[in-house]
Amino acid sequence: NAGVTQTPKFQVLKTGQSMTLQCAQDMNHEYMSWYRQDPGMGLRLIHYSVGAGITDQGEVPNGYNVSRSTTEDFPLRLLSAAPSQTSVYFCASSGSGDGYTFGSGTRLTVV
Amino acid sequence: SQQGEEDPQALSIQEGENATMNCSYKTSINNLQWYRQNSGRGLVHLILIRSNEREKHSGRLRVTLDTSKKSSSLLITASRAADTASYFCHVTGGFKTIFGAGTRLFVKA
């Protein structure tokens, strides 16, 4: 089925560990983005990409890196996990002028 | 960056009643979208209205856009218990866009 696939669905990290959250879409969308959602709040933009090889920072980029080597994939890297990064992470993609398609989310806990 | 702010924060209604949620924003936009999020899940795109449109319908959903007041409303008619969710508006006028905290809708059976 066409859509946005995020892995893993759940992850527990220790403070200081690093990891990569995977995001892939098969709709040939140019725009992809990562958000975090904390309890009772909206989504905050971490990083986004308007095409392969192009990324830019969102509202809350510190502690995260991204790359976009292909149109399909947009991984999010946590460099040194901190408890403040405990959150639910959503990846989204969009074609020109269309609504966003969201992945099902990754629930991350940093202890 | 663009931000949509939803109002009210929470809304509780009986099944069969209509639910109205509002969204306000501050700058010019290309389009405005409404999303639904069921607890613990990803957001689902409901409807998109472009800046040159004033009203749009999709099933039991009706969205209006007033660019002079920089506001939009989402009306859900004949609500069902399954409509219980959080609803977010999302305004786009560039690449850096932000979602508001949403309206939490509770539909009582």
Side-chain angles (χ1 to χ4, degrees):
Chain A
N1 291 336
V4 177
T5 303
Q6 281 184 243
T7 56
K9 292 192 184 305
F10 301 94
Q11 183 70 50
V12 178
L13 290 178
K14 293 183 179 178
T15 297
Q17 285 185 317
S18 61
M19 79 159 294
T20 299
L21 279 63
Q22 302 292 342
C23 176
Q25 53 93 7
D26 57 3
M27 298 170 285
N28 203 33
H29 284 167
E30 291 295 327
Y31 182 86
M32 296 185 75
S33 52
W34 276 101
Y35 296 85
R36 60 177 288 174
Q37 185 178 33
D38 298 307
M41 296 180 68
L43 279 70
R44 291 187 290 171
L45 182 64
I46 304 172
H47 285 285
Y48 66 94
S49 168
V50 299
I54 307 169
T55 63
D56 204 349
Q57 297 181 347
E59 182 188 9
V60 288
N62 292 340
Y64 308 94
N65 272 356
V66 291
S67 60
R68 185 93 181 271
S69 56
T70 66
T71 299
E72 294 77 20
D73 300 300
F74 190 44
L76 177 72
R77 296 183 188 83
L78 278 71
L79 309 172
S80 177
S84 61
Q85 293 179 303
T86 293
S87 189
V88 181
Y89 291 83
F90 291 100
C91 178
S93 73
S94 173
S96 177
D98 296 334
Y100 287 25
T101 301
F102 280 83
S104 57
T106 295
R107 191 173 295 271
L108 175 69
T109 302
V110 182
V111 298
Chain B
S1 55
Q2 294 275 3
Q3 178 164 358
E5 296 183 1
E6 297 87 354
D7 169 65
Q9 291 186 332
L11 181 61
S12 182
I13 60 174
Q14 290 292 136
E15 202 167 32
E17 293 181 337
N18 295 341
T20 300
M21 289 157 268
N22 303 298
C23 172
S24 60
Y25 57 93
K26 293 193 169 111
T27 60
S28 61
I29 62 171
N30 292 336
N31 59 58
L32 185 146
Q33 301 155 50
W34 284 91
Y35 291 81
R36 182 186 72 232
Q37 184 180 35
N38 292 93
S39 180
R41 305 241 178 142
L43 277 70
V44 174
H45 182 251
L46 295 176
I47 195 165
L48 180 153
I49 186 165
R50 302 192 190 281
S51 60
N52 61 352
E53 297 175 313
R54 292 297 168 259
E55 188 171 313
K56 207 159 183 181
H57 296 255
S58 176
R60 293 184 295 113
L61 305 180
R62 173 177 167 253
V63 169
T64 62
L65 179 64
D66 187 335
T67 53
S68 66
K69 294 182 180 177
K70 292 186 167 51
S71 67
S72 173
S73 67
L74 170 67
L75 169 67
I76 303 174
T77 60
S79 63
R80 304 167 182 168
D83 294 328
T84 294
S86 291
Y87 291 82
F88 297 87
C89 72
H90 181 219
V91 296
T92 55
F95 297 121
K96 287 189 177 182
T97 60
I98 303 174
F99 289 77
T103 292
R104 293 182 134 185
L105 174 65
F106 301 92
V107 181
K108 295 176 280 188

